Every structure is written in C-alpha cells, then in structure tokens.
Amino acid sequence: MRSVSTLTRADLAEAINRRLGFSRAESLDLVEAILRQMCDALAEGENVKISGFGTFLLRDKAERVGRNPKTGIEVPITPRRVVTFRASQMLKDQIAAA
C-alpha cells in the first residue's frame, strides 16, 4: 500500500521560494492570492479551469431522500451546490506513469 502524504500551502510556497527566488512571505502571499481568486470565482458561480491540470466544476444537487444507516429512518437531504474536480488528460497521464 502506498503511503499518503499531503501537499500543503506551505509546501507550495516553499516550492515557489526555491524555484523563483521570491521571499517566503511573498511566496505564501502568492499562493494565498491564487487560492482566494479561485474561491471567489467559484463563489460567484464560475467554473475554474487550470490548463494542463484540471477543472473545478460547480454542480447543483437536487433534494433527495437519504436513510440513516443506523436506524433506517428516511431523512430529507437538502438541495445544495457542490464543487467537483475533473483532472485533465495531461494530469491523468502523469499519474498513470508514476
């Protein structure tokens, strides 16, 4: 089984710091600005496409009936908007080659 590690904001900022020579503070500000822009676009109802990486898509889910697995009682699940991610073919190919 593969060990699972997580790429964090700090890791992204460190990579920018090493590769582009920005200060650590500038690198972190850059990461935060990009993520803020993405969040703002999604909040306004826009999809976010990062070429060669993938697309973050908004999807509206209708109300439906769910069931409590413990008791079996039916419970209504309210309609909501969710974000899904669809990887680009380039990303899929890189993952498959790893």
Side-chain angles (χ1 to χ4, degrees):
M1 173 131 181
R2 235 181 229 180
S3 68
V4 178
S5 61
T6 302
L7 180 68
T8 64
R9 292 174 186 209
D11 295 334
L12 292 171
E14 181 64 29
I16 291 170
N17 171 262
R18 276 186 276 115
R19 292 184 186 166
L20 301 177
F22 292 132
S23 72
R24 290 180 194 274
E26 289 174 325
S27 299
L28 190 55
D29 287 344
L30 183 60
V31 170
E32 292 296 331
I34 291 168
L35 293 175
R36 191 175 323 109
Q37 186 69 33
M38 290 173 63
C39 288
D40 290 347
L42 290 166
E44 291 174 10
E46 298 176 45
N47 293 326
V48 176
K49 180 176 183 178
I50 301 173
S51 201
F53 182 71
T55 306
F56 295 89
L57 299 163
L58 290 172
R59 198 172 133 214
D60 291 319
K61 293 186 128 192
E63 182 173 355
R64 62 188 176 94
V65 176
R67 190 171 267 114
N68 182 329
K70 201 172 197 178
T71 63
I73 297 173
E74 289 186 350
V75 180
I77 298 173
T78 59
R80 63 201 181 281
R81 178 173 276 177
V82 297
V83 177
T84 60
F85 177 74
R86 183 176 169 133
S88 72
Q89 192 59 48
M90 283 177 58
L91 180 60
K92 289 177 184 179
D93 293 343
Q94 280 187 333
I95 291 170

Coordinates of all heavy atoms in Angstrom, one line a residue:
M1 N 0.8 -1.2 0.0 CA 0.0 0.0 0.0 C 0.9 1.2 0.0 O 1.9 1.3 0.7 CB -0.9 0.0 1.2 CG -1.7 1.2 1.4 SD -3.4 0.8 1.7 CE -4.0 2.4 1.8
R2 N 0.5 2.2 -0.7 CA 1.2 3.5 -0.8 C 1.0 4.4 0.4 O -0.1 4.4 0.9 CB 0.6 4.3 -2.0 CG 1.6 4.6 -3.0 CD 1.0 5.4 -4.1 NE 1.4 4.8 -5.3 CZ 1.1 5.2 -6.5 NH1 0.2 6.1 -6.7 NH2 1.5 4.6 -7.6
S3 N 2.1 5.0 0.8 CA 1.9 5.9 1.9 C 1.3 7.2 1.4 O 1.6 7.6 0.3 CB 3.2 6.2 2.6 OG 4.1 7.0 1.8
V4 N 0.4 7.8 2.1 CA -0.3 9.0 1.7 C 0.3 10.2 2.4 O 0.3 10.3 3.6 CB -1.8 8.9 1.9 CG1 -2.5 10.2 1.5 CG2 -2.3 7.7 1.2
S5 N 0.8 11.2 1.7 CA 1.2 12.5 2.3 C 0.4 13.6 1.6 O -0.3 13.4 0.6 CB 2.7 12.7 2.0 OG 3.0 12.8 0.6
T6 N 0.5 14.7 2.2 CA -0.4 15.8 1.8 C 0.5 17.0 1.4 O 1.4 17.4 2.1 CB -1.3 16.3 2.9 OG1 -2.1 15.1 3.3 CG2 -2.2 17.4 2.5
L7 N 0.2 17.6 0.2 CA 0.8 18.8 -0.2 C 0.1 20.0 0.4 O -1.2 20.1 0.2 CB 0.8 18.9 -1.7 CG 1.4 20.2 -2.3 CD1 2.9 20.1 -2.1 CD2 1.1 20.2 -3.8
T8 N 0.8 20.8 1.2 CA 0.1 21.9 1.9 C 0.4 23.3 1.2 O 1.3 23.4 0.3 CB 0.6 22.0 3.3 OG1 2.0 22.3 3.3 CG2 0.3 20.7 4.1
R9 N -0.3 24.3 1.7 CA 0.0 25.7 1.2 C 1.5 26.0 1.5 O 2.1 26.7 0.6 CB -0.9 26.7 1.9 CG -2.3 26.6 1.6 CD -3.1 27.5 2.5 NE -4.5 27.3 2.2 CZ -5.5 28.2 2.3 NH1 -5.2 29.4 2.7 NH2 -6.7 27.9 2.0
A10 N 2.0 25.6 2.6 CA 3.4 25.9 3.0 C 4.3 25.2 2.0 O 5.3 25.8 1.6 CB 3.7 25.5 4.4
D11 N 4.0 24.0 1.6 CA 4.8 23.3 0.6 C 4.8 24.0 -0.7 O 5.9 24.1 -1.4 CB 4.3 21.9 0.4 CG 4.4 21.0 1.7 OD1 5.3 21.3 2.5 OD2 3.6 20.0 1.8
L12 N 3.7 24.5 -1.1 CA 3.6 25.2 -2.4 C 4.4 26.5 -2.3 O 5.2 26.9 -3.2 CB 2.1 25.6 -2.7 CG 1.2 24.4 -3.1 CD1 -0.2 24.9 -3.2 CD2 1.7 23.8 -4.4
A13 N 4.3 27.2 -1.2 CA 5.1 28.5 -1.0 C 6.6 28.2 -1.0 O 7.4 28.9 -1.6 CB 4.6 29.2 0.3
E14 N 7.0 27.1 -0.4 CA 8.4 26.7 -0.3 C 8.9 26.4 -1.7 O 10.0 26.8 -2.1 CB 8.6 25.5 0.6 CG 10.0 25.0 0.7 CD 10.9 26.0 1.4 OE1 10.4 26.8 2.2 OE2 12.1 26.0 1.1
A15 N 8.1 25.7 -2.5 CA 8.5 25.4 -3.9 C 8.7 26.7 -4.7 O 9.6 26.8 -5.5 CB 7.5 24.5 -4.6
I16 N 7.8 27.6 -4.6 CA 7.9 28.9 -5.3 C 9.1 29.7 -4.8 O 9.9 30.2 -5.6 CB 6.6 29.8 -5.0 CG1 5.4 29.2 -5.8 CG2 6.8 31.2 -5.5 CD1 4.1 29.8 -5.4
N17 N 9.4 29.6 -3.5 CA 10.6 30.2 -2.9 C 11.8 29.7 -3.5 O 12.7 30.4 -3.9 CB 10.5 30.1 -1.4 CG 11.8 30.5 -0.7 OD1 12.7 29.6 -0.4 ND2 12.0 31.8 -0.5
R18 N 11.9 28.3 -3.6 CA 13.2 27.7 -4.1 C 13.3 27.9 -5.6 O 14.4 28.2 -6.1 CB 13.1 26.2 -3.8 CG 13.6 25.9 -2.5 CD 13.7 24.4 -2.2 NE 12.4 23.8 -1.8 CZ 11.7 23.0 -2.5 NH1 12.1 22.5 -3.7 NH2 10.5 22.6 -2.1
R19 N 12.2 27.8 -6.4 CA 12.4 27.8 -7.8 C 12.4 29.2 -8.4 O 13.1 29.5 -9.4 CB 11.2 27.1 -8.5 CG 11.3 25.6 -8.2 CD 10.2 24.8 -8.9 NE 10.3 23.4 -8.5 CZ 9.3 22.6 -8.7 NH1 8.2 22.9 -9.3 NH2 9.4 21.3 -8.3
L20 N 11.7 30.2 -7.8 CA 11.6 31.5 -8.4 C 12.3 32.6 -7.6 O 12.5 33.7 -8.0 CB 10.1 31.9 -8.5 CG 9.3 31.0 -9.4 CD1 7.8 31.4 -9.4 CD2 9.8 30.9 -10.8
G21 N 12.8 32.2 -6.4 CA 13.6 33.1 -5.6 C 12.8 34.2 -4.9 O 13.4 35.1 -4.3
F22 N 11.5 34.1 -4.8 CA 10.7 35.1 -4.0 C 11.0 34.8 -2.5 O 11.4 33.7 -2.2 CB 9.2 34.9 -4.2 CG 8.8 35.3 -5.6 CD1 7.9 34.5 -6.4 CD2 9.1 36.5 -6.2 CE1 7.5 34.9 -7.6 CE2 8.7 36.9 -7.4 CZ 7.9 36.1 -8.2
S23 N 10.8 35.8 -1.7 CA 10.9 35.6 -0.3 C 9.8 34.6 0.2 O 8.8 34.4 -0.5 CB 10.8 36.9 0.5 OG 9.5 37.3 0.5
R24 N 10.0 34.0 1.4 CA 9.0 33.1 1.9 C 7.6 33.8 2.1 O 6.6 33.2 1.7 CB 9.4 32.5 3.2 CG 10.6 31.6 3.1 CD 11.0 31.0 4.4 NE 12.2 30.3 4.4 CZ 12.4 29.1 4.0 NH1 11.4 28.3 3.7 NH2 13.6 28.5 4.0
A25 N 7.6 35.1 2.5 CA 6.4 35.8 2.7 C 5.7 36.1 1.4 O 4.5 35.9 1.3 CB 6.7 37.1 3.5
E26 N 6.5 36.5 0.4 CA 5.9 36.8 -0.9 C 5.4 35.5 -1.6 O 4.3 35.5 -2.2 CB 7.0 37.3 -1.9 CG 7.4 38.7 -1.6 CD 8.6 39.2 -2.4 OE1 9.5 38.4 -2.7 OE2 8.6 40.4 -2.8
S27 N 6.1 34.4 -1.4 CA 5.6 33.1 -1.9 C 4.3 32.7 -1.3 O 3.4 32.3 -2.0 CB 6.7 32.0 -1.6 OG 7.9 32.3 -2.3
L28 N 4.2 32.8 0.0 CA 2.9 32.5 0.7 C 1.8 33.4 0.3 O 0.7 33.0 0.1 CB 3.1 32.5 2.2 CG 2.0 31.9 3.0 CD1 1.7 30.5 2.6 CD2 2.3 32.0 4.5
D29 N 2.1 34.7 0.1 CA 1.1 35.7 -0.4 C 0.6 35.3 -1.8 O -0.6 35.4 -2.1 CB 1.7 37.1 -0.4 CG 1.8 37.7 1.0 OD1 1.2 37.1 2.0 OD2 2.5 38.7 1.2
L30 N 1.5 34.8 -2.6 CA 1.2 34.4 -4.0 C 0.2 33.2 -3.9 O -0.8 33.2 -4.6 CB 2.4 34.1 -4.8 CG 2.3 33.8 -6.2 CD1 1.6 34.9 -7.0 CD2 3.6 33.4 -6.8
V31 N 0.6 32.2 -3.1 CA -0.3 31.1 -3.0 C -1.7 31.5 -2.5 O -2.7 31.0 -3.0 CB 0.4 30.0 -2.1 CG1 -0.6 28.9 -1.8 CG2 1.6 29.4 -2.7
E32 N -1.7 32.3 -1.5 CA -3.0 32.7 -0.9 C -3.8 33.5 -1.9 O -5.0 33.3 -2.0 CB -2.7 33.6 0.3 CG -2.2 32.8 1.5 CD -3.1 31.8 2.1 OE1 -4.3 31.9 2.0 OE2 -2.6 30.8 2.6
A33 N -3.1 34.4 -2.7 CA -3.9 35.2 -3.7 C -4.5 34.3 -4.8 O -5.6 34.5 -5.2 CB -2.9 36.2 -4.4
I34 N -3.7 33.3 -5.2 CA -4.3 32.3 -6.2 C -5.5 31.6 -5.7 O -6.5 31.5 -6.3 CB -3.2 31.4 -6.7 CG1 -2.1 32.1 -7.5 CG2 -3.8 30.2 -7.5 CD1 -0.9 31.3 -7.8
L35 N -5.3 31.0 -4.5 CA -6.4 30.3 -3.9 C -7.7 31.2 -3.6 O -8.8 30.8 -3.8 CB -6.0 29.6 -2.6 CG -4.9 28.5 -2.8 CD1 -4.5 28.0 -1.4 CD2 -5.5 27.4 -3.6
R36 N -7.4 32.4 -3.2 CA -8.5 33.4 -2.9 C -9.2 33.7 -4.2 O -10.5 33.7 -4.3 CB -8.0 34.7 -2.3 CG -9.0 35.6 -1.8 CD -8.5 36.9 -1.1 NE -7.3 36.6 -0.3 CZ -6.0 37.0 -0.7 NH1 -5.8 37.7 -1.8 NH2 -5.0 36.8 0.1
Q37 N -8.5 33.9 -5.3 CA -9.1 34.1 -6.6 C -10.0 33.0 -7.1 O -11.1 33.1 -7.6 CB -8.0 34.4 -7.7 CG -8.5 34.8 -9.0 CD -9.2 36.2 -9.0 OE1 -8.7 37.1 -8.2 NE2 -10.2 36.4 -9.8
M38 N -9.5 31.7 -6.9 CA -10.2 30.5 -7.2 C -11.5 30.5 -6.4 O -12.6 30.2 -7.0 CB -9.4 29.3 -7.0 CG -8.2 29.2 -8.0 SD -7.1 27.8 -7.7 CE -8.2 26.4 -7.8
C39 N -11.4 30.7 -5.1 CA -12.6 30.6 -4.2 C -13.6 31.7 -4.6 O -14.8 31.4 -4.6 CB -12.1 30.8 -2.8 SG -11.3 29.3 -2.1
D40 N -13.1 32.9 -4.9 CA -14.1 34.0 -5.3 C -14.8 33.6 -6.6 O -16.0 33.8 -6.7 CB -13.3 35.3 -5.4 CG -12.8 35.8 -4.1 OD1 -13.2 35.4 -3.0 OD2 -12.0 36.8 -4.1
A41 N -14.1 33.1 -7.5 CA -14.7 32.7 -8.8 C -15.8 31.6 -8.6 O -16.9 31.7 -9.1 CB -13.6 32.2 -9.8
L42 N -15.4 30.6 -7.8 CA -16.4 29.5 -7.5 C -17.6 30.1 -6.8 O -18.7 29.7 -7.0 CB -15.7 28.4 -6.8 CG -14.7 27.6 -7.6 CD1 -13.9 26.7 -6.6 CD2 -15.4 26.7 -8.6
A43 N -17.4 31.0 -5.8 CA -18.5 31.5 -5.0 C -19.4 32.4 -5.9 O -20.6 32.5 -5.7 CB -17.9 32.4 -3.9
E44 N -18.9 32.9 -7.0 CA -19.7 33.7 -8.0 C -20.4 32.8 -9.0 O -21.0 33.3 -9.9 CB -18.8 34.8 -8.6 CG -18.4 35.9 -7.7 CD -17.4 36.9 -8.3 OE1 -17.2 36.8 -9.5 OE2 -16.9 37.7 -7.5
G45 N -20.2 31.5 -8.9 CA -20.8 30.6 -9.9 C -20.0 30.3 -11.1 O -20.5 29.7 -12.0
E46 N -18.7 30.7 -11.1 CA -17.9 30.4 -12.3 C -17.1 29.1 -12.0 O -16.7 28.8 -10.9 CB -16.8 31.5 -12.5 CG -17.4 32.8 -12.8 CD -16.3 33.9 -12.8 OE1 -15.3 33.6 -13.5 OE2 -16.5 35.0 -12.2
N47 N -16.9 28.3 -13.1 CA -16.0 27.2 -13.1 C -14.6 27.7 -13.2 O -14.3 28.7 -13.7 CB -16.3 26.2 -14.2 CG -17.7 25.5 -14.0 OD1 -18.2 25.3 -12.9 ND2 -18.4 25.3 -15.1
V48 N -13.6 26.9 -12.6 CA -12.2 27.3 -12.7 C -11.5 26.2 -13.5 O -11.5 25.1 -13.1 CB -11.6 27.4 -11.3 CG1 -10.1 27.7 -11.3 CG2 -12.4 28.5 -10.5
K49 N -10.8 26.6 -14.6 CA -10.0 25.7 -15.4 C -8.6 26.1 -15.3 O -8.2 27.2 -15.6 CB -10.5 25.7 -16.8 CG -9.7 24.8 -17.7 CD -10.3 24.8 -19.1 CE -9.5 23.7 -19.9 NZ -10.0 23.6 -21.3
I50 N -7.7 25.1 -14.9 CA -6.3 25.3 -14.9 C -5.7 24.4 -16.0 O -5.7 23.2 -15.8 CB -5.7 25.0 -13.5 CG1 -6.3 25.9 -12.5 CG2 -4.2 25.2 -13.6 CD1 -5.9 25.6 -11.1
S51 N -5.3 25.0 -17.1 CA -4.9 24.3 -18.3 C -3.8 23.3 -17.9 O -2.8 23.7 -17.2 CB -4.4 25.3 -19.3 OG -4.4 24.7 -20.6
G52 N -3.9 22.1 -18.3 CA -2.9 21.0 -18.1 C -3.0 20.4 -16.7 O -2.3 19.5 -16.3
F53 N -3.9 20.9 -15.9 CA -4.1 20.4 -14.5 C -5.5 19.8 -14.4 O -5.7 18.6 -14.1 CB -3.9 21.4 -13.5 CG -4.0 21.0 -12.1 CD1 -3.1 20.1 -11.5 CD2 -5.1 21.4 -11.3 CE1 -3.2 19.6 -10.2 CE2 -5.3 20.9 -10.0 CZ -4.3 20.1 -9.4
G54 N -6.6 20.6 -14.6 CA -7.9 20.2 -14.5 C -8.9 21.3 -14.3 O -8.6 22.5 -14.4
T55 N -10.2 20.9 -14.1 CA -11.2 21.9 -14.0 C -12.0 21.7 -12.7 O -12.4 20.5 -12.4 CB -12.2 21.8 -15.2 OG1 -11.4 21.9 -16.4 CG2 -13.3 22.9 -15.2
F56 N -12.3 22.7 -12.0 CA -13.2 22.7 -10.8 C -14.5 23.1 -11.3 O -14.7 24.2 -11.8 CB -12.6 23.6 -9.7 CG -11.3 23.2 -9.1 CD1 -10.1 23.7 -9.7 CD2 -11.2 22.4 -8.0 CE1 -8.9 23.3 -9.2 CE2 -10.0 22.0 -7.5 CZ -8.8 22.5 -8.1
L57 N -15.5 22.2 -11.2 CA -16.8 22.5 -11.7 C -17.9 22.6 -10.6 O -17.8 21.8 -9.6 CB -17.3 21.3 -12.6 CG -16.4 21.0 -13.8 CD1 -16.7 19.6 -14.4 CD2 -16.7 22.1 -14.9
L58 N -18.8 23.5 -10.7 CA -19.9 23.6 -9.8 C -21.0 22.7 -10.3 O -21.3 22.7 -11.5 CB -20.4 25.1 -9.7 CG -19.4 26.0 -9.0 CD1 -19.9 27.5 -9.2 CD2 -19.3 25.7 -7.6
R59 N -21.7 22.1 -9.3 CA -22.8 21.2 -9.7 C -23.9 21.4 -8.6 O -23.6 21.4 -7.4 CB -22.3 19.8 -9.6 CG -23.2 18.8 -10.4 CD -22.5 17.5 -10.5 NE -23.5 16.5 -10.1 CZ -23.3 15.4 -9.4 NH1 -22.1 15.0 -9.1 NH2 -24.3 14.6 -9.1
D60 N -25.1 21.6 -9.1 CA -26.2 21.7 -8.2 C -26.9 20.4 -8.0 O -27.2 19.7 -9.0 CB -27.3 22.7 -8.8 CG -26.8 24.1 -8.8 OD1 -26.2 24.5 -7.8 OD2 -27.0 24.8 -9.8
K61 N -27.0 20.0 -6.8 CA -27.6 18.7 -6.4 C -29.0 18.9 -5.9 O -29.3 19.8 -5.1 CB -26.8 17.9 -5.4 CG -25.5 17.5 -5.9 CD -24.8 16.7 -4.8 CE -24.3 15.4 -5.5 NZ -23.9 14.4 -4.5
A62 N -30.0 18.2 -6.4 CA -31.4 18.3 -6.1 C -31.6 17.7 -4.7 O -30.8 16.9 -4.2 CB -32.2 17.6 -7.1
E63 N -32.8 18.1 -4.1 CA -33.2 17.5 -2.8 C -33.5 16.0 -3.1 O -33.9 15.6 -4.1 CB -34.4 18.2 -2.3 CG -34.9 17.6 -1.0 CD -36.0 18.4 -0.4 OE1 -36.4 19.4 -0.9 OE2 -36.5 18.0 0.7
R64 N -33.1 15.2 -2.1 CA -33.3 13.8 -2.2 C -33.6 13.2 -0.8 O -33.4 13.8 0.2 CB -32.2 13.1 -2.9 CG -30.9 13.2 -2.1 CD -29.7 12.6 -3.0 NE -28.4 12.8 -2.3 CZ -27.8 11.9 -1.6 NH1 -28.4 10.7 -1.3 NH2 -26.7 12.1 -1.0
V65 N -34.0 11.9 -0.8 CA -34.3 11.3 0.4 C -33.1 10.4 0.7 O -32.7 9.6 -0.1 CB -35.6 10.4 0.4 CG1 -35.8 9.7 1.7 CG2 -36.8 11.4 0.1
G66 N -32.5 10.5 1.9 CA -31.5 9.7 2.4 C -32.0 8.8 3.5 O -33.1 8.9 4.0
R67 N -31.1 7.9 4.0 CA -31.6 7.0 5.0 C -30.5 6.9 6.1 O -29.3 6.8 5.8 CB -31.8 5.6 4.4 CG -32.5 4.7 5.4 CD -32.9 3.4 4.7 NE -34.3 3.5 4.3 CZ -34.7 3.5 3.0 NH1 -33.9 3.4 2.0 NH2 -36.0 3.7 2.7
N68 N -30.8 7.1 7.4 CA -29.9 7.0 8.5 C -29.5 5.5 8.5 O -30.3 4.6 8.7 CB -30.5 7.4 9.8 CG -29.6 7.3 10.9 OD1 -28.7 6.5 11.0 ND2 -29.8 8.2 11.9
P69 N -28.2 5.2 8.3 CA -27.8 3.8 8.3 C -28.0 3.0 9.6 O -28.2 1.8 9.6 CB -26.3 3.8 7.8 CG -25.9 5.2 8.1 CD -27.1 6.1 8.1
K70 N -27.9 3.8 10.7 CA -28.1 3.2 12.0 C -29.5 2.8 12.3 O -29.8 1.7 12.8 CB -27.5 4.1 13.0 CG -27.1 3.5 14.3 CD -26.4 4.5 15.2 CE -25.7 3.8 16.3 NZ -24.9 4.7 17.2
T71 N -30.4 3.7 12.0 CA -31.8 3.5 12.4 C -32.7 3.1 11.2 O -33.8 2.6 11.4 CB -32.4 4.7 13.0 OG1 -32.4 5.8 12.1 CG2 -31.6 5.2 14.3
G72 N -32.3 3.4 10.0 CA -33.1 3.1 8.8 C -34.2 4.2 8.6 O -34.9 4.0 7.6
I73 N -34.2 5.2 9.4 CA -35.2 6.3 9.2 C -34.8 7.1 8.0 O -33.7 7.5 7.8 CB -35.3 7.1 10.5 CG1 -35.8 6.3 11.6 CG2 -36.2 8.3 10.3 CD1 -35.7 7.0 13.0
E74 N -35.9 7.4 7.2 CA -35.6 8.3 6.0 C -35.5 9.7 6.4 O -36.3 10.2 7.3 CB -36.8 8.1 5.0 CG -36.7 6.8 4.3 CD -37.8 6.7 3.2 OE1 -38.6 7.6 3.1 OE2 -37.7 5.7 2.4
V75 N -34.5 10.4 5.8 CA -34.3 11.8 6.2 C -34.1 12.6 4.9 O -33.4 12.2 4.0 CB -33.0 12.0 7.0 CG1 -32.7 13.4 7.3 CG2 -33.0 11.1 8.2
P76 N -34.8 13.8 4.7 CA -34.6 14.6 3.5 C -33.2 15.2 3.5 O -32.7 15.7 4.5 CB -35.7 15.6 3.6 CG -36.0 15.7 5.0 CD -35.7 14.4 5.6
I77 N -32.5 15.2 2.4 CA -31.2 15.8 2.2 C -31.5 17.1 1.3 O -32.0 17.0 0.2 CB -30.2 14.9 1.5 CG1 -30.0 13.7 2.4 CG2 -28.9 15.6 1.2 CD1 -29.1 12.6 1.8
T78 N -31.2 18.2 1.9 CA -31.5 19.5 1.2 C -30.7 19.7 -0.1 O -29.6 19.1 -0.2 CB -31.2 20.7 2.2 OG1 -29.8 20.6 2.5 CG2 -32.0 20.6 3.4
P79 N -31.3 20.5 -1.0 CA -30.5 20.8 -2.2 C -29.3 21.6 -1.9 O -29.3 22.4 -0.9 CB -31.5 21.5 -3.1 CG -32.6 22.0 -2.2 CD -32.5 21.1 -1.0
R80 N -28.2 21.4 -2.7 CA -27.0 22.2 -2.4 C -26.1 22.2 -3.6 O -26.4 21.5 -4.6 CB -26.2 21.5 -1.3 CG -25.8 20.1 -1.6 CD -25.5 19.3 -0.3 NE -25.0 18.0 -0.6 CZ -25.7 17.0 -1.0 NH1 -27.0 17.1 -1.1 NH2 -25.2 15.8 -1.2
R81 N -25.2 23.1 -3.6 CA -24.2 23.3 -4.7 C -22.9 22.7 -4.2 O -22.4 23.0 -3.1 CB -24.0 24.7 -5.0 CG -23.0 25.0 -6.1 CD -23.0 26.4 -6.5 NE -24.1 26.6 -7.5 CZ -24.4 27.7 -8.1 NH1 -23.8 28.8 -7.7 NH2 -25.4 27.7 -8.9
V82 N -22.3 21.8 -5.0 CA -21.0 21.2 -4.7 C -20.0 21.5 -5.7 O -20.3 21.8 -6.9 CB -21.2 19.7 -4.5 CG1 -22.1 19.4 -3.3 CG2 -21.6 19.0 -5.8
V83 N -18.7 21.4 -5.3 CA -17.6 21.5 -6.2 C -17.0 20.2 -6.6 O -16.8 19.4 -5.7 CB -16.5 22.4 -5.6 CG1 -15.3 22.5 -6.6 CG2 -17.0 23.8 -5.3
T84 N -16.8 19.9 -7.8 CA -16.2 18.6 -8.3 C -15.0 19.0 -9.0 O -14.8 20.1 -9.5 CB -17.2 17.8 -9.2 OG1 -17.5 18.5 -10.3 CG2 -18.4 17.4 -8.4
F85 N -14.0 18.0 -9.1 CA -12.8 18.3 -9.9 C -12.7 17.2 -11.0 O -12.9 16.0 -10.7 CB -11.6 18.1 -8.9 CG -10.3 18.3 -9.6 CD1 -9.9 19.5 -10.1 CD2 -9.5 17.2 -9.9 CE1 -8.7 19.6 -10.8 CE2 -8.3 17.3 -10.6 CZ -7.9 18.5 -11.0
R86 N -12.4 17.7 -12.1 CA -12.1 16.8 -13.3 C -10.7 17.0 -13.7 O -10.3 18.1 -14.2 CB -13.1 17.1 -14.4 CG -12.9 16.1 -15.5 CD -14.0 16.3 -16.6 NE -13.5 15.5 -17.7 CZ -14.3 14.7 -18.4 NH1 -15.6 14.6 -18.1 NH2 -13.8 14.0 -19.4
A87 N -9.9 16.0 -13.6 CA -8.5 16.1 -14.0 C -8.3 16.2 -15.5 O -9.1 15.5 -16.2 CB -7.7 14.9 -13.4
S88 N -7.3 16.9 -15.9 CA -7.0 17.0 -17.4 C -6.4 15.7 -17.8 O -5.9 14.9 -17.0 CB -6.1 18.2 -17.7 OG -4.8 17.9 -17.2
Q89 N -6.3 15.5 -19.1 CA -5.7 14.3 -19.6 C -4.2 14.3 -19.3 O -3.6 13.2 -19.0 CB -6.0 14.1 -21.2 CG -5.6 12.8 -21.7 CD -6.3 11.6 -21.1 OE1 -7.6 11.7 -20.9 NE2 -5.6 10.6 -20.6
M90 N -3.6 15.4 -19.4 CA -2.2 15.5 -19.0 C -1.9 15.0 -17.6 O -0.9 14.3 -17.4 CB -1.6 17.0 -19.2 CG -1.4 17.4 -20.6 SD -0.9 19.1 -20.7 CE 0.6 19.1 -19.7
L91 N -2.7 15.5 -16.7 CA -2.6 15.1 -15.3 C -2.8 13.6 -15.1 O -2.1 12.9 -14.4 CB -3.5 15.9 -14.4 CG -3.5 15.5 -12.9 CD1 -2.1 15.8 -12.3 CD2 -4.5 16.4 -12.1
K92 N -3.8 13.1 -15.8 CA -4.1 11.6 -15.7 C -2.9 10.8 -16.3 O -2.6 9.8 -15.7 CB -5.4 11.3 -16.6 CG -6.7 11.8 -15.9 CD -7.8 11.5 -16.8 CE -9.1 12.1 -16.3 NZ -10.3 11.8 -17.2
D93 N -2.3 11.3 -17.4 CA -1.2 10.6 -17.9 C 0.0 10.6 -17.0 O 0.7 9.6 -16.9 CB -0.8 11.2 -19.3 CG -1.9 11.0 -20.4 OD1 -2.7 10.1 -20.2 OD2 -1.8 11.7 -21.4
Q94 N 0.3 11.8 -16.3 CA 1.4 11.8 -15.4 C 1.2 10.9 -14.2 O 2.1 10.3 -13.8 CB 1.5 13.3 -14.9 CG 2.2 14.2 -15.8 CD 2.5 15.5 -15.2 OE1 1.8 16.0 -14.3 NE2 3.5 16.2 -15.7
I95 N -0.1 10.8 -13.7 CA -0.3 10.0 -12.6 C -0.2 8.5 -13.0 O 0.4 7.7 -12.2 CB -1.8 10.3 -12.0 CG1 -1.8 11.6 -11.4 CG2 -2.2 9.2 -11.0 CD1 -3.1 12.1 -11.0
A96 N -0.7 8.2 -14.2 CA -0.6 6.8 -14.6 C 0.9 6.4 -14.8 O 1.2 5.2 -14.6 CB -1.3 6.6 -15.9
A97 N 1.8 7.3 -15.2 CA 3.2 7.0 -15.5 C 4.0 6.9 -14.2 O 5.1 6.3 -14.2 CB 3.8 8.0 -16.4
A98 N 3.4 7.4 -13.1 CA 4.2 7.4 -11.8 C 4.2 6.1 -11.1 O 3.4 5.2 -11.3 CB 3.6 8.5 -10.9

